Amino acid sequence: MPDKKHFNVVVVGAGPAGANAARHAALGGLSVCLLDRLEAPSHPVRCGEGVGLKGMSLSVAIKPEWILSAIRRVKMISPSGTLVELANIGESYIIDRSIFDSDIVKSAIEAGAEFRNNTNVDAAERLTNGKYACHIGSEKVTADCLVLADGVESRLARDLGWNTRLSPSNMETCAIARVSDPSIAADAIEFHVGNRFAPGGYAWVMPRGEGIANVGLGILGSHSISGGADEFLTAFINHRFPNRTDLTNRNCGGVPVAPWLDPLVRGGVMIVGDAARQVNALNGGGIAYALHAGQLAGEAALLAFVNGKFDETKLSIYQKKWAKGHGKNQRITNDLKNFLITRRDDAFYDRIAESLKKRKALGYLSVFLRTFAGHPVMMWKTMKLFG
């Protein structure tokens, strides 16, 4: 282990949230150490790799080398097989997470952060002098400020006083694989709903190019059993791609679909990304949320250091800014998700699909307004979300 043992900021977890937090803290001249248990970030990839330009542009400019495919159409397939196609979806892409995550880490290193991979943090604690220690085997690294980006149900956040346990209705079990099949179009995403393939969730096809896609599904924990997501994925792939030529990169993981974890700050510690449940509760998407949360946390750390002294009370600006922006939208998506849970039967989705299938120039707003028709509060929330 390198000789340096103390930093202004230690970040645990080098995914998009942690790496971006490290980058912004280091850009301001703080000494920063970024720790990750893996050899390289985001291996294996456990998401569809889809992003929207609007959300991403709050934090980073999308680089051409990240882009695998540009998405121009979204196909929504009801339980009965009724197709609704959306075209007005905004600028959207499938990106290569391996390259993207590696570049965010590189940007943190270039800003001055020290990156230590293959480093598993066993425990975290607050010391009697007010600083924080990350225990790594028999060694430890200390910091004035700690940023936790160590994933779903953060173990280290529990060490420091948070209750990070998620109820089954606030966690999705996701299974994903990479499928090669000539029927896959490079410019179209597919969403399949219904109890046959994804009870309490949905299945998706996210193209990484012509003839190859990330194929996966998410099932609410309240609707799943052990191993259930993987079995449903097998059934979905066999149905949708009976003539596939290859199937690789198969894995499973958990995704929080809940309100963000309040508080985001305790003393000199901030939580970001999946650890803080900063994910769109309707679709499980979290890349843009994670990047922005990391940026806000890194900027808050900078504000907390004045003339070389650390004032942990100033970290609260992170939560205030999150709550006014993405945090507000996330609470709306959670309300919409909870509303749908009580109505997620196949007949409900088939009725919506039938009413929309012949309409032209549909966008997400049109679909959601039709979904929540007759429920004024939910329609108002939809307008707030997409307005």
Side-chain angles (χ1 to χ4, degrees):
M1 180 175 291
D3 291 334
K4 189 170 176 62
K5 302 293 186 183
H6 182 78
F7 297 83
N8 297 134
V9 180
V10 167
V11 182
V12 183
N20 212 28
R23 172 176 176 264
H24 281 274
L27 280 172
L30 299 181
S31 62
V32 179
C33 185
L34 176 61
L35 307 173
D36 198 272
R37 63 183 178 84
L38 300 175
E39 171 71 24
S42 289
H43 286 282
V45 172
R46 289 195 175 108
C47 78
E49 301 181 296
V51 299
L53 178 66
K54 182 178 179 181
M56 291 282 283
S57 62
L58 291 173
S59 306
V60 298
I62 296 179
K63 297 181 180 181
E65 56 265 34
W66 296 345
I67 297 173
L68 293 166
S69 60
I71 302 303
R72 296 178 176 83
R73 299 175 293 144
V74 172
K75 298 179 178 182
M76 307 185 76
I77 297 93
S78 80
S80 67
T82 302
L83 170 66
V84 176
E85 186 161 326
L86 285 65
N88 296 330
I89 59 172
E91 195 168 342
S92 303
Y93 301 98
I94 305 299
I95 62 171
D96 189 317
R97 280 292 303 274
S98 296
I99 298 174
F100 165 75
D101 283 38
S102 178
D103 279 356
I104 301 300
V105 171
K106 287 177 183 176
S107 72
I109 296 169
E110 290 167 357
E114 180 179 317
F115 177 48
R116 302 182 187 179
N117 59 351
N118 294 318
T119 302
N120 187 59
V121 178
D122 302 309
E125 65 169 331
R126 182 159 189 164
L127 303 174
T128 55
N129 63 2
K131 300 186 187 303
Y132 293 87
C134 290
H135 294 272
I136 304 160
S138 60
E139 304 285 343
K140 69 180 178 182
V141 174
T142 62
D144 303 283
C145 176
L146 189 59
V147 180
L148 299 180
D150 57 325
V152 181
E153 295 190 327
S154 168
R155 175 177 49 83
L156 299 180
R158 291 201 298 274
D159 290 346
L160 294 165
W162 274 278
N163 176 10
T164 61
R165 298 292 187 188
L166 282 158
S167 67
S169 62
N170 284 328
M171 172 81 88
E172 279 194 349
T173 302
C174 295
I176 189 166
R178 192 165 297 167
V179 175
S180 296
D181 188 282
S183 70
I184 296 169
D187 69 340
I189 287 176
E190 297 179 16
F191 293 115
H192 297 249
V193 296
N195 289 316
R196 178 182 177 186
F197 298 122
Y202 65 95
W204 67 83
V205 179
M206 302 279 196
R208 303 183 96 241
E210 203 72 28
I212 185 168
N214 294 319
V215 179
L217 53 80
I219 300 174
L220 278 179
S222 55
H223 291 63
S224 183
I225 59 173
S226 179
D230 195 54
E231 293 177 6
F232 276 109
L233 180 61
T234 296
F236 176 67
I237 291 174
N238 289 340
H239 166 79
R240 175 62 184 83
F241 302 106
N243 300 315
R244 63 186 179 275
T245 58
D246 198 14
L247 193 158
T248 61
N249 296 66
R250 188 162 185 160
N251 60 81
C252 295
V255 175
V257 282
W260 48 273
L261 190 55
D262 188 4
L264 296 174
V265 182
R266 283 183 182 275
V269 185
M270 296 178 282
I271 52 174
V272 294
D274 281 359
R277 307 173 186 170
Q278 290 165 321
V279 174
N280 184 313
L282 273 174
N283 62 24
I287 299 174
Y289 279 14
L291 284 169
H292 195 55
Q295 177 178 335
L296 294 178
E299 291 171 346
L302 284 175
L303 291 174
F305 282 91
V306 181
N307 298 323
K309 294 184 178 180
F310 178 58
D311 180 358
E312 66 183 30
T313 64
K314 293 185 178 180
L315 297 180
S316 63
I317 190 65
Y318 160 48
Q319 176 156 335
K320 291 176 183 177
K321 288 185 176 181
W322 174 262
K324 290 181 180 179
H326 278 316
K328 180 171 63 177
N329 288 341
Q330 188 185 356
R331 291 197 183 279
I332 292 174
T333 63
N334 187 67
D335 289 343
L336 298 179
K337 179 208 76 174
N338 287 336
F339 178 87
L340 285 174
I341 286 174
T342 63
R343 292 163 172 79
R344 273 180 169 168
D345 60 60
D346 289 357
F348 174 76
Y349 287 122
D350 282 332
R351 285 195 301 271
I352 294 169
E354 283 295 324
S355 70
L356 292 172
K357 68 179 182 180
K358 294 182 180 180
R359 297 190 186 183
K360 303 297 183 182
L362 282 171
Y364 289 118
L365 177 58
S366 301
V367 172
F368 276 89
L369 287 177
R370 180 65 188 87
T371 300
F372 298 112
H375 303 276
V377 172
M378 294 298 109
M379 291 185 71
W380 178 80
K381 289 179 182 289
T382 298
M383 293 295 292
K384 293 282 285 184
L385 183 65
F386 291 99

